[in-house]
Amino acid sequence: MRHTILYPQHAMLDDMITQFFGDAFNNQKANSKYPLTDVYDEDGIAYMEIAVAGFSKDEIKVTVDANTLTVKGESAKKDTSNRNYIKKDIAKRNFEKSYSLMFDVESVDAEINDGILKIKLVPFIPEETKPKQIEIK
């Protein structure tokens, strides 16, 4: 599933369309919200926190290609136990989510702690687009 970050109104609209029409427009699996993601901005730097409980850092891949950030989780382990489950809610399933970045990225850092993958996206701002102080003569 592809998401747009840094423009909350777009994410809200995506959620409303998916909620109303299902996945007819984005042609994705029914549970496209997995894994859950928080996106926030602090001092012009975008942060993403993605719930990836049960995945090790070796099972998660984070890539940036052009203006698309992709997070992929693939578990090598299968439940081979002979347990007779009465109820089984805890599921570790593979996922892949892509996010359209509304800016060029200067650097990306990622770390995993307590089941949360935190990605730091530092935007690249070309020198010619940065604000300039104009001297008054």
Side-chain angles (χ1 to χ4, degrees):
M1 169 133 210
R2 181 177 217 111
H3 298 277
T4 303
I5 69 169
L6 286 189
Y7 291 102
Q9 65 273 21
H10 290 225
M12 197 165 73
L13 180 61
D14 287 348
D15 288 346
M16 288 181 349
I17 289 171
T18 301
Q19 200 171 35
F20 186 75
F21 292 106
D23 289 319
F25 288 108
N26 63 22
N27 197 23
Q28 295 293 319
K29 296 178 182 171
N31 198 358
S32 61
K33 292 194 177 288
Y34 179 79
L36 298 176
T37 305
D38 289 342
V39 180
Y40 59 96
D41 179 284
E42 279 184 4
D43 299 323
I45 297 174
Y47 292 91
M48 298 176 69
E49 293 183 343
I50 303 172
V52 293
F55 285 90
S56 70
K57 71 177 189 173
D58 297 328
E59 296 173 320
I60 297 174
K61 303 289 182 252
V62 178
T63 58
V64 175
D65 183 16
N67 282 15
T68 301
L69 173 87
T70 301
V71 181
K72 184 175 186 178
E74 287 187 297
S75 174
K77 301 175 190 173
K78 299 288 182 196
D79 185 6
T80 58
S81 69
N82 292 328
R83 295 179 182 156
N84 185 19
Y85 286 98
I86 296 167
K87 181 177 177 153
K88 185 166 181 359
D89 285 337
I90 301 171
K92 185 165 109 173
R93 53 191 175 243
N94 296 341
F95 68 89
E96 183 172 339
K97 282 176 100 170
S98 294
Y99 302 85
S100 295
L101 302 175
M102 302 307 292
F103 51 84
D104 292 327
V105 176
E106 182 175 312
S107 67
V108 178
D109 294 316
E111 64 181 36
I112 190 168
N113 190 17
D114 294 333
I116 300 294
L117 174 66
K118 185 173 185 177
I119 301 171
K120 176 182 176 183
L121 299 159
V122 178
F124 172 74
I125 302 170
E127 202 59 44
E128 60 271 8
T129 62
K130 289 183 181 178
K132 298 177 182 95
Q133 179 70 36
I134 308 298
E135 181 182 340
I136 302 172
K137 297 178 182 180

